[in-house]
Amino acid sequence: MSFRQFAFNNIRRNTSAYIAYFLSSSFAVMAFFTYLLFIHHPDIAKAPLGKMASVGMEVASYLTFIFSFLFVLYSISAFLRVRLKEFGILTILGAQRKQLNWLIFLENMIIGTLSVVTGILGGLIFAKLFLLFGENVLELKNLPMYVPVKAIWITIAAFMALFFIMSSMTSFFVRQSKALEMLQGSSKPKKEPKASIWLALLSVVTLSSSVFLLQGKLSEESLLCALLLDLIGLYFFFTQLSVVIIRILKKNRRTYWRGINLLWISELAYKVKDNARMFFMITMVTTMACTSASIVLALKQQAEAMYKDNPFAFTVYSEDQKKPVFTEKIEQTLKNEGITYKKFPIKTMFLNVKELKDQSVNMVRQSEYEGMARSLSLPVIPLQDHETLLIQPTVTKKQLPVDLTHLSFTGKERPELTIKKMYNRTLIGSITLAVVNDHTYDHIAKTYRNKISQDYYYLIPSWNNKKVPTSNSTELKISAELENWNPSVENGLILARGSQYQMTQQGANVVIFVGLFIVAIFSVFIASFLYFKLFSDLQQDKRYYHGLSKIGLSLKEMKRTATNQIALLFYIPIFFAGIQTLVGISILGDAYNTGTLTVGLTAIGIFVAIQTVYFFIVRARYLAQLKNVMV
Amino acid sequence: MGMLEIQKLSKIYNGKVSTRALNNIDLSIEQGEFVGIMGASGSGKTTLLNMVSTIDTPSSGKILINNQNPHQMKKNQLAQFRRRQLGFVFQDFNLLDTLTIAENIVLPLTLEKKSLREMDQKLKAVAEKLGIVEILNKRTYEVSGGQRQRAAIARATIHSPVLLLADEPTGALDSKSSRNVMEMMEKINQTDGTTTMLVTHDPLAASYCHRVVFIKDGELYNEIHRGQNRQEFFQEIIDMLSFLGGNAHELSAVRV
Ligand SMILES: Nc1ncnc2c1ncn2[C@@H]1O[C@H](COP(=O)(O)OP(=O)(O)OP(=O)(O)O)[C@@H](O)[C@H]1O
Ligand SMILES: [Mg+2]
């Protein structure tokens, strides 16, 4: 029998040991391939999804590959660890280092090739489903199936290279001495996990200074610094501080020496230390996923609010009054469609206010405001010279200070205005409006002539904006036509509230789609990591529970102990990811000023739900195995 | 009526070839008695012990421990019975590496949710009796085999079981440690009056018993009682073993 035959037979005989490795590799290939198939779809490549979306897709494909890579790497090492004993026997029987490496290389290449083939086939089978899903989320028209030559080639090249490199580097995983050791006494106990008090302290210090930084004034640097400190702190939290905490926990014998606590708390230190790096990775990726999900969903919500609160379907900014091309175009189009409209010309003056550090106001004339106010039944009040009516848009959360009574402006004249009345309403954009009487306006305008722009607002009564528009509504069709209309004129542009809404929605949808894909893959990977981890320790755990069962551990107690252990593996990282996400959102929430918290909680909730499903599956399978050894 | 009553016990392992491991065993052990079970390899000693320790179920026949039939209990009830009424000592110690020696010893009590005070008290008493006070805070891999086995005996007896069961407790030990462990078992038997059943290959270990029962091919073959002198009893056991056949001689030559 040649050595190649031996390798082949080895796989055929140990089917069950290879199947997990094969399936997970195959899954990694499939995930990557499906993604490529999607982004290289001719219709997607042509679709106007915006720059952010295409960058997002690109980044996602790298992430997918990195995940797949780590996943395959992990599978290989888990797989080889399980088989260490077999290598020990081969070594005893006289296999040389070189032969052993060759055997492992051949095996891995065979499995690798098979998983590339099956992964691509599986991807092709699911492709139609995936494209349908994409169509729906992205609100694109029908995406037909195609022959994804490019995706196939990239997948084959990437993964065959990956498997080749990893198969050649197996000496890194398998040390022959280790294999022999394994054979001599597999019951060699693990040493108690050690932790350095200093590194644990470092973790506390970095984590708290990160929180402290976030309390203060936020700049790009402080945010980055906080993130870095957080990363360091979290890493040492899992590798060091956790061990110290468990050690302290064990000191409290009143709880530790009670029921099954003695069993699972003592195991915990080992499990946390063993899985520290994985926990760290899971926590970071989950945090990133949940935070971006909440930002994206918040953006969507904000876009919806902007649409619903904006009374004007079209706005024309800085129209050249001598050659009014934009307004003419809008009016012509509306007339052709037989749609009635009201047009409000407004001269806005964009001014910095001394009392408001980072906010500006748009000053408008009373006569122009009253024209709008009558049509929209807004409050109208008489204004004396240097008196102002402030209108605060509802789409921002930036509140004006309550004790604000005056507005003053920088400049030669330094005019000062007394606030007569304030109310909340989104009228023109998301900037506060200051209405002044015409005399005051003209007076101030002398100083700030260059800050004035001539805008036009179109009210279209027949377009109901209380509900978000469907993609085939008249408003969206006309909006798209007008926004894309591109005359060769320097000044001015049209903003259509419908198109603005639609663009944000589509951008967000792409991000959500890509995000969902990544989260789905990642959570499957996490679950498989944990699955591998559990099942590579299964033999040991079986012995452990068998021994305990003999001295009277009941089935119920075994289930509770094991459940606690598995639950901790699944939920520790999610718990920390949850906390981090909440912190992240509460900071970013200020920037995005909508109900990000609920969104963030939803994102975490979804993740928890997915993991819970996996948890129950893994738990059931694991308990079924252990049940057999209970006497 | 003995403390442990074994009546017409048979065990058949069903497989491709079904094996009759035990055949119609009758055995009665009195309260406070220290009984050894011996026999050639494959004669059914472990099988018998597993029946008594409720780890395995008989094919026919009956086992009564203090007039209770554990094989009629439900699974969870049975686990509770085992940890309250029985104590186990195994050849491979069966201690948990993740726990300290002290934690290993109190494990049966923590599962019963006893108070800390009671646990500390009992732990102290049993550790002193077995001479393992200094190693209580060590880990299993930091102590010798003999110490490990004494810790295992401590765990098996901390809850004062009615029946102590040991399967080759000296199987993994050298002769000095063996002697030491057997002395401890004898001491427990004498001071606490714990009924003890010991399965062993080792004539030296068996010589600490009051009575040794020999099994051959799954059937009771013979039994001998100890007189005053342990050395004499040891010789009788050796003779019996050589009579039974097998390789007992070679074994004993090393040990004495
Ligand atoms: N689980 C089992 N399934 C099938 N047959 C078994 C099983 N356990 C034991 N046997 C058989 O029952 C017989 C008695 O086995 P047992 O383990 O009781 O022997 P033993 O006296 O303890 O031997 P040793 O001294 O080698 O430990 C043997 O023939 C053995 O092959
Ligand atoms: Mg045996």
Side-chain angles (χ1 to χ4, degrees), chain A residues 259-281:
Chain A
I260 56 167
N261 293 359
L262 187 59
L263 296 176
W264 69 263
I265 293 180
S266 64
E267 278 279 308
L268 191 59
Y270 292 84
K271 293 259 183 252
V272 171
K273 181 90 183 179
D274 276 0
N275 297 305
R277 271 181 214 108
M278 188 173 76
F279 281 168
F280 174 71
M281 199 172 91

PDB file of all heavy atoms in Angstrom, chain A residues 259-281:
ATOM      1  N   GLY A 259     -23.964  22.831  46.149  1.00  0.00           N
ATOM      2  CA  GLY A 259     -24.563  22.171  44.991  1.00  0.00           C
ATOM      3  C   GLY A 259     -23.548  22.026  43.870  1.00  0.00           C
ATOM      4  O   GLY A 259     -22.362  21.805  44.100  1.00  0.00           O
ATOM      5  N   ILE A 260     -24.034  22.209  42.633  1.00  0.00           N
ATOM      6  CA  ILE A 260     -23.165  22.001  41.480  1.00  0.00           C
ATOM      7  C   ILE A 260     -22.244  23.186  41.219  1.00  0.00           C
ATOM      8  O   ILE A 260     -21.417  23.133  40.318  1.00  0.00           O
ATOM      9  CB  ILE A 260     -23.998  21.720  40.216  1.00  0.00           C
ATOM     10  CG1 ILE A 260     -24.974  22.857  39.986  1.00  0.00           C
ATOM     11  CG2 ILE A 260     -24.721  20.397  40.318  1.00  0.00           C
ATOM     12  CD1 ILE A 260     -25.620  22.834  38.633  1.00  0.00           C
ATOM     13  N   ASN A 261     -22.392  24.270  41.991  1.00  0.00           N
ATOM     14  CA  ASN A 261     -21.504  25.425  41.805  1.00  0.00           C
ATOM     15  C   ASN A 261     -20.042  25.022  41.838  1.00  0.00           C
ATOM     16  O   ASN A 261     -19.232  25.507  41.061  1.00  0.00           O
ATOM     17  CB  ASN A 261     -21.741  26.471  42.895  1.00  0.00           C
ATOM     18  CG  ASN A 261     -23.103  27.102  42.762  1.00  0.00           C
ATOM     19  OD1 ASN A 261     -23.839  26.756  41.844  1.00  0.00           O
ATOM     20  ND2 ASN A 261     -23.440  28.004  43.656  1.00  0.00           N
ATOM     21  N   LEU A 262     -19.722  24.121  42.752  1.00  0.00           N
ATOM     22  CA  LEU A 262     -18.348  23.654  42.877  1.00  0.00           C
ATOM     23  C   LEU A 262     -17.852  23.110  41.542  1.00  0.00           C
ATOM     24  O   LEU A 262     -16.707  23.321  41.158  1.00  0.00           O
ATOM     25  CB  LEU A 262     -18.295  22.567  43.947  1.00  0.00           C
ATOM     26  CG  LEU A 262     -16.931  22.056  44.363  1.00  0.00           C
ATOM     27  CD1 LEU A 262     -16.085  23.186  44.887  1.00  0.00           C
ATOM     28  CD2 LEU A 262     -17.073  20.985  45.421  1.00  0.00           C
ATOM     29  N   LEU A 263     -18.733  22.448  40.828  1.00  0.00           N
ATOM     30  CA  LEU A 263     -18.325  21.832  39.566  1.00  0.00           C
ATOM     31  C   LEU A 263     -18.154  22.861  38.461  1.00  0.00           C
ATOM     32  O   LEU A 263     -17.117  22.923  37.815  1.00  0.00           O
ATOM     33  CB  LEU A 263     -19.343  20.767  39.141  1.00  0.00           C
ATOM     34  CG  LEU A 263     -19.468  19.575  40.067  1.00  0.00           C
ATOM     35  CD1 LEU A 263     -20.554  18.649  39.589  1.00  0.00           C
ATOM     36  CD2 LEU A 263     -18.143  18.841  40.146  1.00  0.00           C
ATOM     37  N   TRP A 264     -19.167  23.674  38.244  1.00  0.00           N
ATOM     38  CA  TRP A 264     -19.067  24.522  37.047  1.00  0.00           C
ATOM     39  C   TRP A 264     -18.217  25.762  37.254  1.00  0.00           C
ATOM     40  O   TRP A 264     -17.566  26.226  36.328  1.00  0.00           O
ATOM     41  CB  TRP A 264     -20.427  24.833  36.432  1.00  0.00           C
ATOM     42  CG  TRP A 264     -21.333  25.729  37.202  1.00  0.00           C
ATOM     43  CD1 TRP A 264     -22.340  25.326  38.037  1.00  0.00           C
ATOM     44  CD2 TRP A 264     -21.373  27.157  37.194  1.00  0.00           C
ATOM     45  NE1 TRP A 264     -22.967  26.406  38.555  1.00  0.00           N
ATOM     46  CE2 TRP A 264     -22.401  27.558  38.049  1.00  0.00           C
ATOM     47  CE3 TRP A 264     -20.633  28.144  36.537  1.00  0.00           C
ATOM     48  CZ2 TRP A 264     -22.719  28.876  38.287  1.00  0.00           C
ATOM     49  CZ3 TRP A 264     -20.950  29.465  36.769  1.00  0.00           C
ATOM     50  CH2 TRP A 264     -21.980  29.820  37.634  1.00  0.00           C
ATOM     51  N   ILE A 265     -18.165  26.284  38.484  1.00  0.00           N
ATOM     52  CA  ILE A 265     -17.310  27.462  38.689  1.00  0.00           C
ATOM     53  C   ILE A 265     -15.839  27.067  38.553  1.00  0.00           C
ATOM     54  O   ILE A 265     -15.038  27.802  37.976  1.00  0.00           O
ATOM     55  CB  ILE A 265     -17.591  28.140  40.038  1.00  0.00           C
ATOM     56  CG1 ILE A 265     -18.992  28.737  40.022  1.00  0.00           C
ATOM     57  CG2 ILE A 265     -16.577  29.247  40.312  1.00  0.00           C
ATOM     58  CD1 ILE A 265     -19.409  29.430  41.298  1.00  0.00           C
ATOM     59  N   SER A 266     -15.506  25.875  39.041  1.00  0.00           N
ATOM     60  CA  SER A 266     -14.109  25.470  38.934  1.00  0.00           C
ATOM     61  C   SER A 266     -13.713  25.231  37.482  1.00  0.00           C
ATOM     62  O   SER A 266     -12.590  25.509  37.078  1.00  0.00           O
ATOM     63  CB  SER A 266     -13.863  24.210  39.756  1.00  0.00           C
ATOM     64  OG  SER A 266     -14.612  23.147  39.235  1.00  0.00           O
ATOM     65  N   GLU A 267     -14.663  24.756  36.682  1.00  0.00           N
ATOM     66  CA  GLU A 267     -14.383  24.546  35.251  1.00  0.00           C
ATOM     67  C   GLU A 267     -14.281  25.874  34.516  1.00  0.00           C
ATOM     68  O   GLU A 267     -13.581  25.996  33.514  1.00  0.00           O
ATOM     69  CB  GLU A 267     -15.513  23.736  34.615  1.00  0.00           C
ATOM     70  CG  GLU A 267     -15.414  22.267  34.828  1.00  0.00           C
ATOM     71  CD  GLU A 267     -14.434  21.637  33.854  1.00  0.00           C
ATOM     72  OE1 GLU A 267     -14.578  21.874  32.646  1.00  0.00           O
ATOM     73  OE2 GLU A 267     -13.539  20.917  34.302  1.00  0.00           O
ATOM     74  N   LEU A 268     -15.022  26.846  35.035  1.00  0.00           N
ATOM     75  CA  LEU A 268     -15.139  28.132  34.351  1.00  0.00           C
ATOM     76  C   LEU A 268     -13.783  28.770  34.101  1.00  0.00           C
ATOM     77  O   LEU A 268     -13.507  29.263  33.011  1.00  0.00           O
ATOM     78  CB  LEU A 268     -16.010  29.049  35.206  1.00  0.00           C
ATOM     79  CG  LEU A 268     -16.468  30.346  34.566  1.00  0.00           C
ATOM     80  CD1 LEU A 268     -17.256  30.018  33.321  1.00  0.00           C
ATOM     81  CD2 LEU A 268     -17.330  31.124  35.537  1.00  0.00           C
ATOM     82  N   ALA A 269     -12.934  28.756  35.139  1.00  0.00           N
ATOM     83  CA  ALA A 269     -11.623  29.395  35.000  1.00  0.00           C
ATOM     84  C   ALA A 269     -10.885  28.807  33.801  1.00  0.00           C
ATOM     85  O   ALA A 269     -10.297  29.533  33.002  1.00  0.00           O
ATOM     86  CB  ALA A 269     -10.810  29.197  36.268  1.00  0.00           C
ATOM     87  N   TYR A 270     -10.943  27.499  33.655  1.00  0.00           N
ATOM     88  CA  TYR A 270     -10.271  26.834  32.542  1.00  0.00           C
ATOM     89  C   TYR A 270     -10.897  27.236  31.220  1.00  0.00           C
ATOM     90  O   TYR A 270     -10.233  27.545  30.255  1.00  0.00           O
ATOM     91  CB  TYR A 270     -10.350  25.313  32.687  1.00  0.00           C
ATOM     92  CG  TYR A 270      -9.553  24.762  33.839  1.00  0.00           C
ATOM     93  CD1 TYR A 270     -10.076  24.742  35.114  1.00  0.00           C
ATOM     94  CD2 TYR A 270      -8.272  24.259  33.637  1.00  0.00           C
ATOM     95  CE1 TYR A 270      -9.349  24.230  36.179  1.00  0.00           C
ATOM     96  CE2 TYR A 270      -7.539  23.742  34.683  1.00  0.00           C
ATOM     97  CZ  TYR A 270      -8.076  23.734  35.956  1.00  0.00           C
ATOM     98  OH  TYR A 270      -7.351  23.232  36.991  1.00  0.00           O
ATOM     99  N   LYS A 271     -12.220  27.194  31.204  1.00  0.00           N
ATOM    100  CA  LYS A 271     -12.898  27.447  29.931  1.00  0.00           C
ATOM    101  C   LYS A 271     -12.684  28.878  29.471  1.00  0.00           C
ATOM    102  O   LYS A 271     -12.457  29.119  28.288  1.00  0.00           O
ATOM    103  CB  LYS A 271     -14.400  27.175  30.081  1.00  0.00           C
ATOM    104  CG  LYS A 271     -14.726  25.716  30.314  1.00  0.00           C
ATOM    105  CD  LYS A 271     -15.205  25.054  29.048  1.00  0.00           C
ATOM    106  CE  LYS A 271     -15.589  23.695  29.202  1.00  0.00           C
ATOM    107  NZ  LYS A 271     -15.418  22.482  29.044  1.00  0.00           N
ATOM    108  N   VAL A 272     -12.766  29.820  30.396  1.00  0.00           N
ATOM    109  CA  VAL A 272     -12.584  31.215  30.007  1.00  0.00           C
ATOM    110  C   VAL A 272     -11.174  31.438  29.507  1.00  0.00           C
ATOM    111  O   VAL A 272     -10.948  32.046  28.467  1.00  0.00           O
ATOM    112  CB  VAL A 272     -12.899  32.164  31.180  1.00  0.00           C
ATOM    113  CG1 VAL A 272     -12.488  33.586  30.843  1.00  0.00           C
ATOM    114  CG2 VAL A 272     -14.373  32.115  31.511  1.00  0.00           C
ATOM    115  N   LYS A 273     -10.215  30.906  30.227  1.00  0.00           N
ATOM    116  CA  LYS A 273      -8.819  31.098  29.827  1.00  0.00           C
ATOM    117  C   LYS A 273      -8.547  30.431  28.471  1.00  0.00           C
ATOM    118  O   LYS A 273      -7.916  31.011  27.608  1.00  0.00           O
ATOM    119  CB  LYS A 273      -7.907  30.509  30.905  1.00  0.00           C
ATOM    120  CG  LYS A 273      -6.446  30.665  30.629  1.00  0.00           C
ATOM    121  CD  LYS A 273      -5.897  31.945  31.186  1.00  0.00           C
ATOM    122  CE  LYS A 273      -4.432  32.079  30.812  1.00  0.00           C
ATOM    123  NZ  LYS A 273      -3.841  33.310  31.293  1.00  0.00           N
ATOM    124  N   ASP A 274      -9.069  29.232  28.303  1.00  0.00           N
ATOM    125  CA  ASP A 274      -8.879  28.517  27.034  1.00  0.00           C
ATOM    126  C   ASP A 274      -9.455  29.288  25.858  1.00  0.00           C
ATOM    127  O   ASP A 274      -8.937  29.233  24.754  1.00  0.00           O
ATOM    128  CB  ASP A 274      -9.598  27.155  27.088  1.00  0.00           C
ATOM    129  CG  ASP A 274      -8.739  26.107  27.742  1.00  0.00           C
ATOM    130  OD1 ASP A 274      -7.617  26.453  28.131  1.00  0.00           O
ATOM    131  OD2 ASP A 274      -9.188  24.957  27.858  1.00  0.00           O
ATOM    132  N   ASN A 275     -10.580  29.956  26.124  1.00  0.00           N
ATOM    133  CA  ASN A 275     -11.301  30.573  25.017  1.00  0.00           C
ATOM    134  C   ASN A 275     -11.151  32.079  24.981  1.00  0.00           C
ATOM    135  O   ASN A 275     -11.873  32.752  24.261  1.00  0.00           O
ATOM    136  CB  ASN A 275     -12.793  30.229  25.120  1.00  0.00           C
ATOM    137  CG  ASN A 275     -13.014  28.746  25.001  1.00  0.00           C
ATOM    138  OD1 ASN A 275     -12.591  28.142  24.034  1.00  0.00           O
ATOM    139  ND2 ASN A 275     -13.642  28.152  25.989  1.00  0.00           N
ATOM    140  N   ALA A 276     -10.194  32.600  25.773  1.00  0.00           N
ATOM    141  CA  ALA A 276     -10.106  34.055  25.927  1.00  0.00           C
ATOM    142  C   ALA A 276     -10.010  34.776  24.587  1.00  0.00           C
ATOM    143  O   ALA A 276     -10.740  35.730  24.334  1.00  0.00           O
ATOM    144  CB  ALA A 276      -8.921  34.419  26.801  1.00  0.00           C
ATOM    145  N   ARG A 277      -9.132  34.280  23.707  1.00  0.00           N
ATOM    146  CA  ARG A 277      -8.937  34.992  22.452  1.00  0.00           C
ATOM    147  C   ARG A 277     -10.186  34.951  21.598  1.00  0.00           C
ATOM    148  O   ARG A 277     -10.547  35.926  20.944  1.00  0.00           O
ATOM    149  CB  ARG A 277      -7.754  34.413  21.704  1.00  0.00           C
ATOM    150  CG  ARG A 277      -6.523  35.120  22.137  1.00  0.00           C
ATOM    151  CD  ARG A 277      -5.262  34.705  21.485  1.00  0.00           C
ATOM    152  NE  ARG A 277      -4.240  34.840  22.477  1.00  0.00           N
ATOM    153  CZ  ARG A 277      -3.651  33.826  23.074  1.00  0.00           C
ATOM    154  NH1 ARG A 277      -3.940  32.605  22.722  1.00  0.00           N
ATOM    155  NH2 ARG A 277      -2.758  34.028  23.996  1.00  0.00           N
ATOM    156  N   MET A 278     -10.840  33.796  21.650  1.00  0.00           N
ATOM    157  CA  MET A 278     -12.065  33.680  20.865  1.00  0.00           C
ATOM    158  C   MET A 278     -13.130  34.618  21.418  1.00  0.00           C
ATOM    159  O   MET A 278     -13.820  35.306  20.669  1.00  0.00           O
ATOM    160  CB  MET A 278     -12.549  32.236  20.924  1.00  0.00           C
ATOM    161  CG  MET A 278     -13.689  31.984  20.006  1.00  0.00           C
ATOM    162  SD  MET A 278     -14.088  30.243  19.973  1.00  0.00           S
ATOM    163  CE  MET A 278     -14.923  30.036  21.494  1.00  0.00           C
ATOM    164  N   PHE A 279     -13.259  34.646  22.742  1.00  0.00           N
ATOM    165  CA  PHE A 279     -14.223  35.549  23.362  1.00  0.00           C
ATOM    166  C   PHE A 279     -13.963  36.984  22.930  1.00  0.00           C
ATOM    167  O   PHE A 279     -14.873  37.734  22.600  1.00  0.00           O
ATOM    168  CB  PHE A 279     -14.110  35.484  24.890  1.00  0.00           C
ATOM    169  CG  PHE A 279     -14.786  34.299  25.487  1.00  0.00           C
ATOM    170  CD1 PHE A 279     -14.576  33.959  26.807  1.00  0.00           C
ATOM    171  CD2 PHE A 279     -15.643  33.525  24.736  1.00  0.00           C
ATOM    172  CE1 PHE A 279     -15.194  32.868  27.366  1.00  0.00           C
ATOM    173  CE2 PHE A 279     -16.270  32.430  25.281  1.00  0.00           C
ATOM    174  CZ  PHE A 279     -16.037  32.094  26.607  1.00  0.00           C
ATOM    175  N   PHE A 280     -12.683  37.336  22.925  1.00  0.00           N
ATOM    176  CA  PHE A 280     -12.306  38.697  22.566  1.00  0.00           C
ATOM    177  C   PHE A 280     -12.764  39.008  21.145  1.00  0.00           C
ATOM    178  O   PHE A 280     -13.409  40.021  20.886  1.00  0.00           O
ATOM    179  CB  PHE A 280     -10.785  38.819  22.689  1.00  0.00           C
ATOM    180  CG  PHE A 280     -10.243  40.129  22.210  1.00  0.00           C
ATOM    181  CD1 PHE A 280     -10.476  41.280  22.925  1.00  0.00           C
ATOM    182  CD2 PHE A 280      -9.507  40.185  21.050  1.00  0.00           C
ATOM    183  CE1 PHE A 280      -9.977  42.486  22.484  1.00  0.00           C
ATOM    184  CE2 PHE A 280      -8.999  41.391  20.600  1.00  0.00           C
ATOM    185  CZ  PHE A 280      -9.234  42.538  21.317  1.00  0.00           C
ATOM    186  N   MET A 281     -12.460  38.080  20.253  1.00  0.00           N
ATOM    187  CA  MET A 281     -12.823  38.308  18.855  1.00  0.00           C
ATOM    188  C   MET A 281     -14.331  38.396  18.689  1.00  0.00           C
ATOM    189  O   MET A 281     -14.844  39.299  18.021  1.00  0.00           O
ATOM    190  CB  MET A 281     -12.267  37.163  18.006  1.00  0.00           C
ATOM    191  CG  MET A 281     -12.166  37.496  16.560  1.00  0.00           C
ATOM    192  SD  MET A 281     -11.295  36.192  15.693  1.00  0.00           S
ATOM    193  CE  MET A 281     -12.631  35.151  15.200  1.00  0.00           C
TER     194      MET A 281
END
